[in-house]
Amino acid sequence: MEEGRSQTQLTAVDGPDEAATDDGDRPAWDSKIQYVLAQVGFSVGLGNVWRFPYLCHQNGGGAFMLLYVFLLVVVGVPLFFMELAAGQSIRQGSIGVWKHISPKLGGIGYSSCMVCFYVALYYNVIIAWSLFYMGNSFQYPLPWEKCPTNVTSNDTVKECAGSSPTSYFWFRKALNITNSIEESGEFNPIMTGCLLAAWAIVALAMIKGIKSSAKVMYFSSIFPYVVLFIFLIRGLLLDGALEGITYMFYPKLEIWGNVQVWRQAATQVFFALGLGYGSVIAYSSYNPVHNNCHRDALMVSCINFMTSVLASLVVFIVLGFRAKNIALRCVAENLSVLNLLASSGSNQHWWPWFNMTDVSTVTLAEYREWYHLYSSMVGPKITDCSLEQEMNKGVEGTGLAFIAFTEVMAFFPASPFWSALFFLMLLNLGLSTMFGTMQGILTPLMDNFSLLGHHRTLLTVSSCALGFIIGLLFTQRSGNYFVTMFDDYSATLPLVIVVIFETISVAWVYGTDRFLDDIEIMLKWRPPVVYKYLWKYVCLLAMVSLLAASLLRMVFKGPTYTAWNQSTASEMTLEYPGWALAMIIMLIVFASLPVPVSYIYSLVKNRWVRSTPSQVEVGQEMRRELYTKCSSTEQPDSHFHPVHFREDEVHPTPAFLSVGNEHYRLLSQEEDEEEEEEEQDTGV
């Protein structure tokens, strides 16, 4: 590993107060708040709204939060700080940063770009879905409030009656989904148009780099917080809000003994901060060299976590309200059955003691108390109505945003307003993350290839056009299954591999002490020594364990996906067919391949250079002839040999060379000509 070490420091300093940079024309943030909003906007995404609350819901509520905070502190913050410091000091994108540390590890940056491209492809599809729902929100009543009727029979559509109005609208009206991934179906024209609009928004916002995207960030990063607080205040007034919050914070400490819970918490920390994408490095590379990136790492990590908690509060309040409504509807249905039995003249000793004719006066607690006393006598037509049972039906991802939330907002007064507000929030959350993801692709390419750097606009538009063309895969009727495939498998393993090699590069190739020295030059103070041991051992061990756990889970459980069956109007779990498994493997291999390929290429290139005399070595041989003794007239020492350097090392400038007590200096051109004349005169 020592051979791969860069022989230069990450920062070149001219003086105690100034860092020398050779990239004066590099774009820069207009203000610190602009940079912070960009980093927060990228790291705070849709996962904070629909993934983190689900993990809390499924894994012990408050206990999962404590575990998440622990992993955030010992793994997330150190790795986030490492990426911020590397980008800020070297002032390059992900490709240039890792090439600078060691040419053999340049493939890390290319892998990051590949993963960013994968994520951008399917992430913009989610933005397209948000555009579609936001467009459908401007009508009253909302189109997903009631089931449609069959025109010919004048009956409720069977698929909707067997599920729910929101599920029917999502699977049939929005996606028009097939029964499995093997049934591709034709393109969905409406979704294709929405995807084109989504890519157009991204292209226009990024057409001038951070100068244009940063201005959009002022709205796209702040607006979601405004909406979340509005929903929080509105939600606290709903019946069932207290039950939802109680369910969220009630700790189940036994989950700490479950390895899969640790894996899920570590994965969420990993993705919440955007580690490995290269976007964090790209954004920080536009910072002044002496910016306090350590404070930024702590601040952005805290904001990210608090956003997840805020979003979880909103989600659990809404789910509590939804569960309370479902449970009360259950009570009403059961009481109507009991009223029918009572009207038939049946007289049983287990009749409820409360008033069955006025359902509004019956509380859920009263009904459940009666049911638990006489459940063995009432027969199968009377069922339990449990709020906890409804809360246990966890929903995540698209199911939370496009089914559960839409169902709840239909109950709100002025429901179109709340629906439009919610999907506008999703749109902005997605766009701010999308800007960072695209920056993780464009910045390294422009830094590493000068031709692309000179045509920034053309590169941005071409990348968005390519993304739209490939993204048509997701707008066919089976497109949702491909979105699930990319979300589950295209990014997770490659990103973990990328971060493992990033940590090895800094901690073991470049050296943590040297890295801390460089950070000390930037910050004017030295970070705590605990980072040295976290980078070298804790973070690396955690990432390797996460990789192993993810691989084992994939091998033993097998890749599966959730499909919608139109005939039964329900979801079912299916295994991927053979060609889809091959596609998953190709996605993982293509994203991970640049790392070993770059390493092998660098080794082969170095061996070829050693076997072929370079111009540098020839020049050194010529300069050797110009050396002469200054202190005696003896012939030069036969033991003196020129020093050869590899191409990836920094060559020292010609200076005084000391060999024993005899000193040699490099002759100027005039002195060399005078000596040649003397040699001709004396016949030497």
Side-chain angles (χ1 to χ4, degrees):
M1 287 187 181
E2 294 294 330
E3 290 183 1
R5 285 194 178 183
S6 170
Q7 300 301 313
T8 58
Q9 282 188 312
L10 294 184
T11 52
V13 178
D14 288 343
D17 299 319
E18 243 174 57
T21 61
D22 56 356
D23 52 356
D25 59 341
R26 187 173 184 80
W29 301 105
D30 292 338
S31 63
K32 182 63 177 283
I33 187 66
Q34 199 177 72
Y35 163 69
V36 172
L37 286 176
Q39 286 285 19
V40 170
F42 169 67
S43 63
V44 175
L46 296 172
N48 296 75
V49 174
W50 66 33
R51 180 65 179 165
F52 184 85
Y54 170 78
L55 292 175
C56 286
H57 182 275
Q58 295 294 99
N59 297 314
F64 179 84
M65 282 193 180
L66 292 174
L67 179 60
Y68 179 87
V69 170
F70 171 73
L71 292 175
L72 181 68
V73 171
V74 300
V75 178
V77 171
L79 291 176
F80 191 59
F81 176 42
M82 181 184 76
E83 289 197 357
L84 287 178
Q88 182 175 305
S89 58
I90 301 175
R91 297 179 66 75
Q92 292 279 312
S94 56
I95 297 175
V97 162
W98 307 116
K99 265 189 176 180
H100 185 95
I101 289 179
S102 172
K104 294 177 183 177
L105 298 173
I108 296 174
Y110 289 102
S111 286
S112 293
C113 287
M114 284 291 294
V115 174
C116 279
F117 188 63
Y118 286 165
V119 173
L121 287 177
Y122 76 84
Y123 213 86
N124 230 20
V125 178
I126 301 174
I127 295 175
W129 293 341
S130 300
L131 282 172
F132 174 78
Y133 266 82
M134 189 173 71
N136 279 278
S137 297
F138 296 101
Q139 51 185 303
Y140 186 82
L142 292 171
W144 52 79
E145 281 192 22
K146 296 180 180 179
C147 284
T149 56
N150 195 316
V151 180
T152 56
S153 63
N154 207 28
D155 294 329
T156 303
V157 175
K158 183 180 177 182
E159 185 180 3
C160 184
S163 54
S164 68
T166 52
S167 297
Y168 175 79
F169 186 86
W170 167 242
F171 288 113
R172 191 54 49 215
K173 294 296 183 180
L175 302 178
N176 193 19
I177 201 166
T178 57
N179 289 332
S180 72
I181 196 173
E182 297 182 88
E183 304 172 24
S184 60
E186 65 276 3
F187 285 108
N188 186 329
I190 298 177
M191 281 304 169
T192 303
C194 291
L195 182 64
L196 179 61
W199 276 112
I201 293 171
V202 172
L204 290 173
M206 301 198 64
I207 201 162
K208 292 186 178 180
I210 63 169
K211 292 297 183 184
S212 55
S213 64
K215 290 179 173 59
V216 181
M217 287 287 185
Y218 282 111
F219 180 77
S220 63
S221 295
I222 296 174
F223 180 73
Y225 289 96
V226 176
V227 177
L228 283 174
F229 276 109
I230 291 174
F231 268 98
L232 179 64
I233 296 169
R234 178 68 182 89
L236 289 172
L237 303 176
L238 297 173
D239 187 22
L242 184 60
E243 288 86 345
I245 295 175
T246 304
Y247 189 94
M248 170 185 169
F249 284 107
Y250 184 77
K252 301 174 184 175
L253 300 180
E254 63 272 11
I255 60 101
W256 288 357
N258 189 334
V259 176
Q260 287 304 316
V261 174
W262 284 79
R263 182 191 65 80
Q264 290 178 335
T267 304
Q268 181 62 22
V269 168
F270 187 80
F271 283 104
L273 295 176
L275 301 174
Y277 284 92
S279 305
V280 173
I281 294 174
Y283 276 158
S284 64
S285 70
Y286 299 118
N287 268 333
V289 174
H290 293 303
N291 173 64
N292 192 339
C293 55
H294 183 261
R295 182 177 58 199
D296 294 343
L298 296 175
M299 179 170 56
V300 174
S301 299
C302 288
I303 292 174
N304 190 296
F305 172 67
M306 295 309 296
T307 306
S308 297
V309 175
L310 173 62
S312 297
L313 277 171
V314 173
V315 168
F316 274 86
I317 286 172
V318 169
L319 291 180
F321 170 69
R322 176 173 174 262
K324 189 77 172 282
N325 270 280
I326 293 173
L328 289 175
R329 283 204 304 267
C330 170
V331 171
E333 290 171 1
N334 285 324
L335 289 181
S336 64
V337 174
L338 287 173
N339 280 323
L340 286 175
L341 291 174
S343 62
S344 65
S346 176
N347 188 14
Q348 301 288 346
H349 70 280
W350 43 261
W351 284 131
W353 54 84
F354 44 77
N355 183 8
M356 294 189 295
T357 57
D358 189 2
V359 178
S360 61
T361 61
V362 181
T363 65
L364 184 61
E366 287 177 334
Y367 175 83
R368 295 205 69 200
E369 182 184 355
W370 168 81
Y371 182 82
H372 287 154
L373 289 173
Y374 302 108
S375 58
S376 59
M377 308 176 189
V378 295
K381 289 185 178 181
I382 308 300
T383 59
D384 189 14
C385 299
S386 171
L387 186 145
E388 290 77 14
Q389 189 175 354
E390 290 299 327
M391 287 293 296
N392 284 333
K393 296 177 182 177
V395 284
E396 65 168 327
T398 54
L400 175 64
F402 299 109
I403 297 177
F405 254 83
T406 52
E407 181 181 336
V408 170
M409 285 181 295
F411 292 115
F412 287 2
S415 55
F417 166 77
W418 294 103
S419 179
L421 197 64
F422 175 73
F423 288 109
L424 185 59
M425 179 193 73
L426 286 189
L427 177 65
N428 282 276
L429 280 173
L431 283 175
S432 58
T433 301
M434 190 68 190
F435 295 152
T437 304
M438 290 299 294
Q439 206 69 55
I441 302 171
L442 300 176
T443 298
L445 293 178
M446 289 188 293
D447 287 343
N448 208 56
F449 303 100
S450 57
L451 179 64
L452 298 178
H454 294 146
H455 299 86
R456 179 191 302 272
T457 302
L458 182 61
L459 175 64
T460 303
V461 174
S462 301
S463 300
C464 292
L466 180 63
F468 168 71
I469 293 170
I470 300 177
L472 293 175
L473 170 71
F474 306 108
T475 62
Q476 56 184 339
R477 290 182 59 194
S478 60
N480 184 51
Y481 303 136
F482 288 98
V483 171
T484 303
M485 176 195 291
F486 271 67
D487 189 33
D488 290 342
Y489 302 107
S490 70
T492 306
L493 289 178
L495 276 182
V496 175
I497 293 171
V498 163
V499 175
I500 287 174
F501 278 100
E502 284 182 2
T503 311
I504 291 173
S505 300
V506 170
W508 295 96
V509 176
Y510 188 77
T512 49
D513 288 325
R514 297 174 69 198
F515 191 60
L516 288 172
D517 290 341
D518 296 329
I519 295 175
E520 185 176 5
I521 293 173
M522 287 196 303
L523 305 185
K524 307 295 181 65
W525 58 273
R526 194 174 183 84
V529 72
V530 67
Y531 281 111
K532 172 181 178 179
Y533 301 102
L534 289 174
W535 287 329
K536 290 187 74 171
Y537 306 110
V538 178
C539 293
L540 191 57
L541 180 62
M543 288 296 100
V544 172
S545 301
L546 178 58
L547 178 63
S550 301
L551 283 172
L552 289 173
R553 183 175 181 272
M554 183 182 296
V555 170
F556 288 108
K557 187 179 179 182
T560 59
Y561 68 102
T562 302
W564 176 259
N565 189 297
Q566 184 175 2
S567 58
T568 61
S570 61
E571 291 181 321
M572 56 185 181
T573 302
L574 300 177
E575 293 183 355
Y576 283 104
W579 61 266
L581 291 174
M583 186 175 176
I584 291 172
I585 294 172
M586 287 173 59
L587 288 172
I588 296 172
V589 170
F590 284 162
S592 308
L593 203 58
V595 176
V597 167
S598 176
Y599 189 85
I600 294 170
Y601 171 76
S602 182
L603 286 177
V604 172
K605 184 179 178 181
N606 285 343
R607 288 188 179 181
W608 182 80
V609 168
R610 289 194 191 100
S611 63
T612 306
S614 66
Q615 292 182 355
V616 175
E617 291 173 334
V618 172
Q620 288 173 344
E621 288 289 346
M622 293 175 64
R623 287 199 300 269
R624 181 172 176 263
E625 300 299 327
L626 298 179
Y627 282 97
T628 183
K629 286 188 178 181
C630 300
S631 58
S632 73
T633 59
E634 295 179 7
Q635 297 297 322
D637 192 346
S638 60
H639 295 292
F640 175 78
H641 299 286
V643 181
H644 301 281
F645 297 90
R646 298 194 316 275
E647 66 157 4
D648 58 346
E649 294 181 345
V650 175
H651 310 293
T653 56
F656 292 105
L657 300 177
S658 175
V659 182
N661 294 324
E662 298 173 336
H663 301 280
Y664 297 84
R665 65 183 175 86
L666 184 63
L667 296 176
S668 66
Q669 187 175 0
E670 294 178 358
E671 291 175 325
D672 184 52
E673 290 173 354
E674 290 174 3
E675 185 166 326
E676 286 180 356
E677 290 175 2
E678 284 184 7
E679 288 175 350
Q680 289 173 358
D681 293 341
T682 57
V684 178

